[in-house]
Amino acid sequence: MILNLRYKICPLVSAALLLIFTASSCKKNEYVGKDPYADAKPALELKVNNTASTPIEGEVGSVVSLSGTGFLKYKENLSVLFNGEKSEVIEITDTQVKVKVPQWASTGIVTFMVGSQLLPGPNFRVNGAVSTDKTFASYVGANGRIYSINALPDGRMLIVGDFNDYNNVGLRAGYSKLAIISPLGVLDKSFKPGKGVPSGTLFHSALLNDGKILIGGQFNTYNNKRNKIGNIAKISLTGVLDSTIYTYMDRGGEPKKDTVPTFNAFFSGGVNKMMVQPDGNVIVIGSFKYYMSKTYYPNQKDTIITDSVLVNNVARITPNGALDKTYNFNTPLNKANDGFNGSIRDAYMQSDGKMVAVGNFSTYNGAPANKIARINLDGSLDNTFNTGSGPSGQIYSIRPYVNGKFIISGEFISFNGKPIAKAAILNPDGSVDESFNTGIGADGSINNATRLGNGKILLTGDFQKFNGITRYGFAIVEPSGQLSPNFNTIGGFGFVPNIFISPVNDVINVDNGEASVLVGGFNSLNLIQNTRLVKITY
């Protein structure tokens, strides 16, 4: 009986099971519906040599031979793309395809396309007017993001960020969050910050008129000097904290000594940028609410008194760290005026000491100021800087241009009602310079726009195309805003993990305007390892 049930289960299967299994095992092809494999494409009968081409590099317009088998079968609908840009097929046999490197090709992978099916080929290096400097020691680089780079008067460069090692010198060697490198990118070991900033992040540095350095970020310790640092510190060019020795009497009447910073400024939140005015005073911007100062050991007692003043994300301090209460300040109430009603993303200091700030704000001291404003020397709003309705979206960066103009970039698609995408040049009065227009522009945000030493403009961000042309986060445009021919052959950035993010945080021009150093979060550029910093020549 048992055997009989086992071999005659179909007649006895329950109605419930029939509902669950829409087709009985006794019948075939009872399924009614779309075949899930009906749209599957047959495998390409095409094999490609994806290790090399002949030659392996060349200029725009040069002829390249690609080898494999099965090309003739797909002759009518075969396309060859250089890093996303379609090439002209010159000759095709069953084992070889000859193509011409297209005008807007850049270094990257060669891809074969048949209909919507893709087949990867070899990497190809496109040579042009811009190249990465292989003599610059950035192969190992920093083991964390670099947020800012500052050129020193002697040609060296100070980098700050969230790294704790540079060029594998070792964690115990110090250089945590800051280092000085030579013009060749080599670590300068005469700069000795000790333990540096063991926890937290540095966002910016500024060179003071006395030759010393301000560092700002989110940190409360420098070389193990705890509880005496508040997101900003003053150090020497050798890395030593600017400090002095105080003598005091402890509560038992015994004489004691302590080392405390001579720079007596503290902020309640992160410091994002510091700008030195011509008179030596410093404008500080960040995500802080209060400025604080400390009085050490009054009346010969081991007591510290902390004084706090409301400043709302912007303050002006003297070179020794004292708060300048002549800057946007309400003296009777002993607090700053309202200032910006939102965060400040970036700012630029003009040669006359005025500051142009951009960010997520709409007013300054109650007056309209949509995402961009210029501030006078006394901290009041400069009403001669008229941007109209301003940008339609966020501005991420502002940099100097020429003749008192500024270049801004971000995610806006219009400015003062005029269509202009992600980057714009503003005249000194705040109006748009209409000679610069990127057209459709980037398909993502432009996080940094910098005028290069040759007069062209470098745009970097999280975009993948610029005016429909493949540019992975790196585009060089003319003063008109259009892509510069032969200056866009350099390939895009690489990241670890392999997730495309905003690549560049800061750029400085070096070598008398013939090169630039880029810093950020990338680990390669143009298929060459360059870890968080790279030097490009042009």
Side-chain angles (χ1 to χ4, degrees), residues 365-377:
N365 287 342
N370 183 32
K371 300 180 178 63
I372 183 168
R374 183 161 64 196
I375 309 303
N376 291 316
L377 294 179

Side-chain angles (χ1 to χ4, degrees), residues 484-495:
S484 181
N486 204 36
F487 279 81
N488 284 281
T489 58
I490 200 166
F493 295 95
F495 301 87

Side-chain angles (χ1 to χ4, degrees), residues 51-120:
T51 60
S53 60
T54 305
I56 59 174
E57 60 181 81
E59 299 177 348
V60 168
S62 59
V63 176
V64 179
S65 296
L66 302 158
S67 59
T69 58
F71 292 126
L72 279 179
K73 181 176 179 179
Y74 305 99
K75 180 178 180 179
E76 299 303 320
N77 56 354
L78 175 67
S79 298
V80 180
L81 294 83
F82 283 72
N83 206 17
E85 295 302 308
K86 188 175 180 180
S87 65
E88 176 188 352
V89 177
I90 298 174
E91 181 182 329
I92 185 168
T93 68
D94 200 50
T95 59
Q96 186 180 71
V97 177
K98 287 186 178 181
V99 294
K100 183 181 290 186
V101 179
Q103 179 184 3
W104 295 110
S106 57
T107 297
I109 190 171
V110 177
T111 307
F112 292 80
M113 176 180 287
V114 178
S116 60
Q117 293 178 275
L118 297 175
L119 195 63

Side-chain angles (χ1 to χ4, degrees), residues 334-493:
N334 194 36
K335 68 175 186 176
N337 295 320
D338 291 339
F340 295 105
N341 67 338
S343 61
I344 305 169
R345 182 70 182 241
D346 197 10
Y348 165 68
M349 180 73 70
Q350 295 183 169
S351 59
D352 61 3
K354 292 184 179 182
M355 175 184 71
V356 186
V358 299
N360 189 26
F361 52 82
S362 59
T363 64
Y364 182 81
N365 287 342
N370 183 32
K371 300 180 178 63
I372 183 168
R374 183 161 64 196
I375 309 303
N376 291 316
L377 294 179
D378 62 356
S380 62
L381 183 67
D382 185 352
N383 292 316
T384 67
F385 189 73
N386 185 5
T387 58
S389 61
S392 60
Q394 288 298 311
I395 301 174
Y396 293 150
S397 76
I398 180 169
R399 295 291 186 274
Y401 193 56
V402 293
N403 301 324
K405 298 179 181 182
F406 318 94
I407 182 165
I408 59 172
S409 64
E411 60 181 18
F412 54 89
I413 57 174
S414 67
F415 194 97
N416 196 19
K418 299 175 181 178
I420 187 163
K422 316 295 174 63
I425 292 176
L426 302 184
N427 293 312
D429 63 359
S431 62
V432 173
D433 181 348
E434 297 187 20
S435 68
F436 178 88
N437 197 307
T438 61
I440 298 173
D443 64 352
S445 62
I446 298 177
N447 300 91
N448 189 286
T450 301
R451 183 180 184 270
L452 300 177
N454 61 2
K456 299 179 188 296
I457 300 167
L458 171 64
L459 307 175
T460 61
D462 59 6
F463 55 89
Q464 298 189 34
K465 286 186 178 293
F466 189 90
N467 277 340
I469 295 170
T470 304
R471 300 301 306 136
Y472 290 112
F474 183 106
I476 294 178
V477 299
E478 297 286 342
S480 65
Q482 299 305 299
L483 278 178
S484 181
N486 204 36
F487 279 81
N488 284 281
T489 58
I490 200 166
F493 295 95

Side-chain angles (χ1 to χ4, degrees), residues 142 144-150 158-163 177-178 200-205 216-218 271-273 345-346 399 448 501-508 518-522 532-533:
R145 180 176 283 268
I146 302 174
Y147 283 104
S148 175
I149 182 167
N150 202 344
L158 173 65
I159 56 174
V160 301
D162 63 5
F163 57 90
K177 315 304 191 300
L178 75 169
T201 299
L202 294 182
F203 295 132
H204 196 242
S205 68
Q218 291 180 319
V271 170
N272 297 335
K273 196 163 190 176
R345 182 70 182 241
D346 197 10
R399 295 291 186 274
N448 189 286
I501 56 176
S502 175
V504 174
N505 288 101
D506 203 6
V507 180
I508 59 170
L518 289 55
V519 300
F522 53 88
R532 279 94 191 193
L533 73 167

Side-chain angles (χ1 to χ4, degrees), residues 139-183:
Y139 180 82
V140 176
N143 67 343
R145 180 176 283 268
I146 302 174
Y147 283 104
S148 175
I149 182 167
N150 202 344
L152 302 178
D154 58 8
R156 295 181 299 163
M157 295 167 280
L158 173 65
I159 56 174
V160 301
D162 63 5
F163 57 90
N164 56 21
D165 194 7
Y166 183 83
N167 275 355
N168 283 343
V169 298
L171 301 182
R172 294 184 179 180
Y175 307 106
S176 180
K177 315 304 191 300
L178 75 169
I180 288 180
I181 59 177
S182 75

